[in-house]
């Protein structure tokens, strides 16, 4: 069961200028340096708020990180959902999907990407939930594209599903992470290989 990121904060807190300042400051620091390397003291010093103020909104740094990551994921999921619902061609949807993936990849440092995958069970559960949701939508889209001739008939849906399920494992593998200097490069290689393979994009 997913723990909603609003459980420990109410709407009045979220509208508070100091709450917003803490979240925005922490987001910038987390994106640059990862979550584990950033301390509550550093967040408070950069935001120019007291630790007492920080703890009036969040129990600890992990709860703050959950709030930020859940907000990013919720926003991204709405954008991905809008792509799946478009009345457009399969090729166009894939292009839009890849562009959106790259937009988010540019925002995340490698340190942040590595950290948020293992920060808390709540985050991992949310990732799994959205991964499964997107997988269902994507597979439905591929099946429709096969019927219309946009995707080869001999492409195995079962294999595609299996590979998608393995992406999360790949992203947590230290040897895999070591292959890339940044998240943007990693994301591009994965989506480029998955969608276009070794023969190149059709012209």
């Amino acid at each position: 069961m997913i723990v909603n990121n609003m459980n420990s904060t109410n709407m009045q807190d979220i509208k508070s200028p100091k709450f917003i300042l803490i979240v925005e400051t922490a987001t910038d620091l987390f994106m640059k340096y990862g979550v584990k390397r950033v301390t509550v003291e550093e967040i408070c010093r950069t935001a120019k708020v007291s630790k007492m103020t920080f703890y009036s909104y969040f129990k600890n740094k992990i709860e703050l990180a959950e709030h930020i990551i859940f907000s990013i994921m919720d926003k991204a999921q709405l954008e991905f959902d809008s792509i799946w619902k478009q009345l457009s061609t399969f090729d166009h949807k894939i292009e839009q999907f890849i562009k959106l993936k790259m937009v988010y990849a540019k925002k995340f440092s490698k340190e942040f990407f590595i950290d948020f995958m293992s920060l808390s069970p709540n985050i991992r559960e949310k990732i799994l939930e959205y991964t499964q949701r997107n997988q269902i939508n994507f597979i439905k889209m591929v099946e429709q594209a096969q019927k219309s001739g946009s995707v080869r008939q001999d492409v195995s849906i079962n294999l595609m599903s299996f590979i998608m399920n393995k992406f999360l494992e790949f992203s947590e593998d230290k040897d895999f992470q070591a292959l890339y200097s940044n998240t943007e490069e990693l994301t591009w290689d994965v989506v480029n290989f998955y969608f276009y393979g070794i023969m190149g994009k059709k012209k």
Side-chain angles (χ1 to χ4, degrees):
M1 180 179 178
I2 298 298
V3 178
N4 191 286
N5 55 315
M6 295 295 123
N7 279 354
S8 58
T9 55
N10 55 48
M11 292 305 296
Q12 187 174 355
D13 287 340
I14 295 169
K15 293 178 182 178
S16 163
K18 287 188 177 180
F19 178 93
I20 294 171
L21 181 60
I22 290 170
V23 170
E24 289 179 346
T25 301
T27 300
D28 289 342
L29 292 171
F30 291 164
M31 292 294 187
K32 286 182 182 178
Y33 308 112
V35 177
K36 294 178 181 178
R37 290 175 59 187
V38 176
T39 64
V40 171
E41 289 77 9
E42 187 175 1
I43 294 169
C44 293
R45 184 172 63 251
T46 306
K48 295 182 172 58
V49 300
S50 68
K51 289 176 71 174
M52 184 179 295
T53 299
F54 178 94
Y55 287 115
S56 70
Y57 295 118
F58 300 101
K59 293 178 182 177
N60 49 48
K61 181 181 68 173
I62 299 302
E63 186 176 76
L64 169 58
E66 285 182 350
H67 173 82
I68 292 169
I69 291 169
F70 289 168
S71 296
I72 293 171
M73 291 179 67
D74 289 342
K75 180 177 181 293
Q77 188 58 50
L78 288 174
E79 293 176 298
F80 283 123
D81 284 345
S82 70
I83 292 174
W84 307 138
K85 294 175 183 177
Q86 286 178 4
L87 296 175
S88 58
T89 64
F90 177 79
D91 285 354
H92 179 73
K93 288 181 180 181
I94 293 303
E95 288 173 2
Q96 294 302 307
F97 173 81
I98 292 174
K99 284 180 182 178
L100 186 55
K101 290 285 286 186
M102 296 309 300
V103 166
Y104 280 97
K106 288 178 183 178
K107 294 180 181 180
F108 300 160
S109 67
K110 182 178 178 180
E111 291 76 14
F112 178 78
F113 177 76
I114 292 172
D115 283 354
F116 90 83
M117 298 297 291
S118 59
L119 271 179
S120 79
N122 291 335
I123 294 173
R124 184 173 180 80
E125 192 173 347
K126 187 98 167 181
I127 292 171
L128 288 172
E129 177 195 318
Y130 278 169
T131 298
Q132 291 169 357
R133 178 171 164 181
N134 282 315
Q135 180 177 331
I136 291 170
N137 287 329
F138 177 71
I139 292 302
K140 286 181 179 177
M141 190 172 67
V142 171
E143 289 174 337
Q144 292 173 351
Q146 281 185 319
K147 293 177 181 178
S148 66
S150 299
V151 172
R152 286 166 32 203
Q153 295 290 327
D154 61 345
V155 169
S156 170
I157 297 296
N158 289 334
L159 179 59
M160 292 187 74
S161 296
F162 181 82
I163 293 173
M164 290 179 74
N165 286 330
K166 289 295 180 180
F167 281 160
L168 188 57
E169 291 182 31
F170 292 160
S171 63
E172 294 177 303
D173 187 285
K174 291 183 179 180
D175 290 335
F176 179 70
Q177 293 167 359
L179 295 174
Y180 299 94
S181 60
N182 58 68
T183 308
E184 185 178 358
E185 183 184 352
L186 183 155
T187 303
W188 172 247
D189 269 4
V190 170
V191 296
N192 188 45
F193 183 80
Y194 186 78
F195 290 115
Y196 302 126
I198 62 173
M199 297 298 292
K201 184 179 177 182
K202 289 190 302 181
K203 296 181 179 180

